[in-house]
Amino acid sequence: MITATKFSVHKTNKSRLAETNFDALEFGKTVSDHMLSADYRKGAWTTPQLIPYGPIVLSPTALSLHYGQTVFEGMKAFRTNDGAISIFRIEKHYQRLSKSLERMSMPALPFELFSEGLQQLIHLDEAWVPKKEGHSLYLRPFVFASNEERFGVHESDDYRFLIITGPVGPYYSKTLKLKVEDRFIRAAHGGTGFAKCGGNYGGAFYPTKLARQQGFDQVIWTDGSKDLNIEESGMMNILFVINNVLVTPPLSDTILDGITRDSYLTLAADLGYKTEERKIGVKDLALAFENKTIQEAFGSGTAAVAAPIGSITMLGKEYLLPPVPQNGFMIRAKSMLEAIRTGNAPDTHRWNTLITI
Ligand SMILES: *Cc1c(COP(=O)(O)O)cnc(C)c1O
């Protein structure tokens, strides 16, 4: 373990804690007092600093601003039933960040810097980890090309690693009204769809805006082939329960390897569901509606955990899902996940890292 002395710590003298209403948290609107910052210069990561959250100075030639070398993670820390704090699936998030960095030709981040950085930061902002059920501390580690003073087209020599955090409440939403997007795609084979890089989001905003103007909440992305195989739902993975089987598209270089998705696939066995990772074309899916074999559909991701889908428009027709079954997979798996994260169920899959500072 890196001891706190290896981090330089500069505490804020103006905590925003007292003015924060933990009963009315909106996702992404509240940030904790501190952030972690480390620079990559001349081929090495420098001493990480824990500093007050605030604006950063960036040179206008910073290559992230021009060429999009920027990747991120989204993860959560939970208050356990005995008051401790645990981080969910830190190794898997680290592995994914490493893949994203490699794909964007950015320097690797040592696991120790990632893991200790998260732990030291959360320890410092311990009071920001909510205590209420269903609440958590959202963690946003990210790396971007930073202060290089030349802007020719090339990969940067200078990078910055930042971690910011913020308390979040439970996600409740009406069921989503989605359309299968048949004009735009999010990712193509050989591209960056599997990487959590900024550009994937930038490119998705416009099609999403058009879908919202048509009255939908989000789009369902396909692979753009003639079968229109389903890939993801907005910036979430998509899962179905068809004939009591949990079905989701197989991972590929066009699908983000969601850690919530992976957790659901693992929990399915514990809950007695079979799983299938297989291609689902829109015709297949329409058939499942017509045969009434489709029981559930939901998006999965760290922020929402599970976002129930109410209708899917495809092939010129709106197909309605049945009401979310209270004893169905989504609700049971979501509460099982919550129980594991908070220590109310055994952590049989070893997903929790307890902060032991
Ligand atoms: C982050 C993300 C997800 C969800 O991944 P989780 O690890 O479950 O949060 C799904 N799809 C895309 C495109 C993403 O960027």
Coordinates of all heavy atoms in Angstrom, one line a residue, residues 174-179 211 214-220 308-313 318 320:
K174 N -39.2 6.5 -14.6 CA -40.3 5.8 -15.4 C -39.6 4.9 -16.4 O -38.4 5.0 -16.6 CB -41.1 6.9 -16.1 CG -40.3 7.7 -17.1 CD -41.3 8.6 -17.9 CE -40.6 9.3 -19.0 NZ -39.9 8.5 -20.1
T175 N -40.4 3.9 -16.9 CA -39.7 3.0 -17.9 C -39.4 3.8 -19.1 O -40.1 4.8 -19.5 CB -40.7 1.9 -18.2 OG1 -41.9 2.4 -18.6 CG2 -40.9 1.0 -17.0
L176 N -38.3 3.4 -19.7 CA -37.8 4.1 -20.9 C -38.5 3.8 -22.2 O -38.9 2.6 -22.4 CB -36.3 3.8 -21.1 CG -35.3 4.2 -19.9 CD1 -34.0 3.6 -20.2 CD2 -35.3 5.7 -19.7
K177 N -38.7 4.8 -23.0 CA -39.3 4.7 -24.3 C -38.1 4.8 -25.3 O -37.5 5.9 -25.4 CB -40.3 5.8 -24.5 CG -41.0 5.8 -25.8 CD -42.1 6.8 -25.8 CE -42.4 7.3 -27.2 NZ -43.6 7.1 -27.8
L178 N -37.8 3.7 -26.0 CA -36.6 3.7 -26.8 C -37.0 3.4 -28.3 O -38.0 2.9 -28.6 CB -35.7 2.6 -26.4 CG -35.2 2.6 -24.9 CD1 -34.3 1.4 -24.6 CD2 -34.5 3.9 -24.6
K179 N -36.1 3.9 -29.2 CA -36.2 3.5 -30.6 C -34.9 2.9 -31.0 O -33.8 3.2 -30.6 CB -36.5 4.7 -31.4 CG -35.3 5.7 -31.6 CD -35.6 6.7 -32.7 CE -34.7 6.6 -33.9 NZ -34.7 7.8 -34.7
A211 N -33.5 11.8 -31.4 CA -34.5 10.8 -30.9 C -35.4 11.5 -29.8 O -36.6 11.2 -29.7 CB -33.8 9.6 -30.3
Q214 N -38.1 13.4 -31.2 CA -39.2 12.5 -31.7 C -39.9 11.9 -30.5 O -40.8 11.0 -30.7 CB -38.6 11.4 -32.6 CG -38.0 11.9 -33.9 CD -37.0 10.8 -34.5 OE1 -36.9 9.7 -34.0 NE2 -36.3 11.3 -35.5
G215 N -39.6 12.2 -29.3 CA -40.4 11.8 -28.1 C -39.8 10.5 -27.5 O -40.4 9.9 -26.6
F216 N -38.6 10.1 -27.9 CA -38.0 9.0 -27.2 C -37.0 9.4 -26.1 O -36.6 10.6 -26.1 CB -37.2 8.1 -28.2 CG -38.1 7.6 -29.3 CD1 -38.1 8.2 -30.6 CD2 -38.9 6.5 -29.1 CE1 -39.0 7.7 -31.6 CE2 -39.7 6.0 -30.1 CZ -39.7 6.6 -31.3
D217 N -36.7 8.5 -25.2 CA -35.8 8.9 -24.1 C -34.3 8.6 -24.6 O -33.4 9.3 -24.1 CB -36.0 8.0 -22.9 CG -37.4 8.3 -22.3 OD1 -37.6 9.5 -22.0 OD2 -38.2 7.4 -22.1
Q218 N -34.1 7.6 -25.4 CA -32.8 7.2 -25.8 C -32.9 6.4 -27.1 O -34.0 6.1 -27.5 CB -32.2 6.2 -24.7 CG -31.4 6.9 -23.6 CD -30.1 7.5 -24.2 OE1 -29.7 7.2 -25.4 NE2 -29.4 8.3 -23.4
V219 N -31.7 6.1 -27.6 CA -31.7 5.2 -28.8 C -31.2 3.8 -28.4 O -30.5 3.7 -27.4 CB -30.9 5.7 -29.9 CG1 -31.4 7.0 -30.4 CG2 -29.4 5.8 -29.6
I220 N -31.6 2.8 -29.1 CA -30.9 1.5 -29.0 C -29.9 1.4 -30.2 O -30.4 1.6 -31.4 CB -31.9 0.3 -29.0 CG1 -32.7 0.3 -27.8 CG2 -31.2 -1.0 -29.2 CD1 -33.8 -0.8 -27.7
P308 N -35.3 0.2 -16.3 CA -36.4 -0.6 -17.0 C -36.8 0.0 -18.3 O -37.0 1.3 -18.4 CB -37.5 -0.7 -16.0 CG -37.3 0.5 -15.1 CD -35.8 0.7 -15.0
I309 N -37.0 -0.8 -19.3 CA -37.5 -0.3 -20.6 C -39.0 -0.6 -20.8 O -39.4 -1.7 -20.5 CB -36.6 -1.0 -21.7 CG1 -35.2 -0.6 -21.6 CG2 -37.2 -0.7 -23.1 CD1 -34.2 -1.4 -22.5
G310 N -39.7 0.4 -21.2 CA -41.2 0.2 -21.3 C -41.6 0.0 -22.7 O -42.6 -0.7 -23.0
S311 N -40.9 0.5 -23.7 CA -41.3 0.3 -25.1 C -40.1 0.4 -26.0 O -39.2 1.2 -25.7 CB -42.4 1.2 -25.5 OG -41.9 2.4 -26.1
I312 N -40.2 -0.3 -27.1 CA -39.1 -0.3 -28.1 C -39.8 -0.1 -29.5 O -40.6 -0.9 -29.9 CB -38.3 -1.6 -28.1 CG1 -37.6 -1.8 -26.7 CG2 -37.3 -1.6 -29.2 CD1 -36.8 -3.1 -26.6
T313 N -39.4 0.9 -30.2 CA -39.9 1.2 -31.5 C -38.9 0.7 -32.5 O -37.7 1.1 -32.5 CB -40.2 2.7 -31.7 OG1 -41.3 3.0 -30.8 CG2 -40.7 3.0 -33.1
E318 N -44.3 0.3 -32.6 CA -43.9 0.4 -31.2 C -44.3 -0.9 -30.5 O -45.5 -1.3 -30.5 CB -44.5 1.6 -30.5 CG -44.1 1.7 -29.0 CD -44.7 2.9 -28.2 OE1 -45.7 3.5 -28.7 OE2 -44.1 3.2 -27.2
L320 N -44.6 -2.9 -26.8 CA -44.7 -2.6 -25.4 C -44.2 -3.8 -24.6 O -44.6 -4.9 -24.8 CB -46.1 -2.2 -25.0 CG -46.7 -1.0 -25.7 CD1 -48.1 -0.7 -25.1 CD2 -45.8 0.3 -25.5

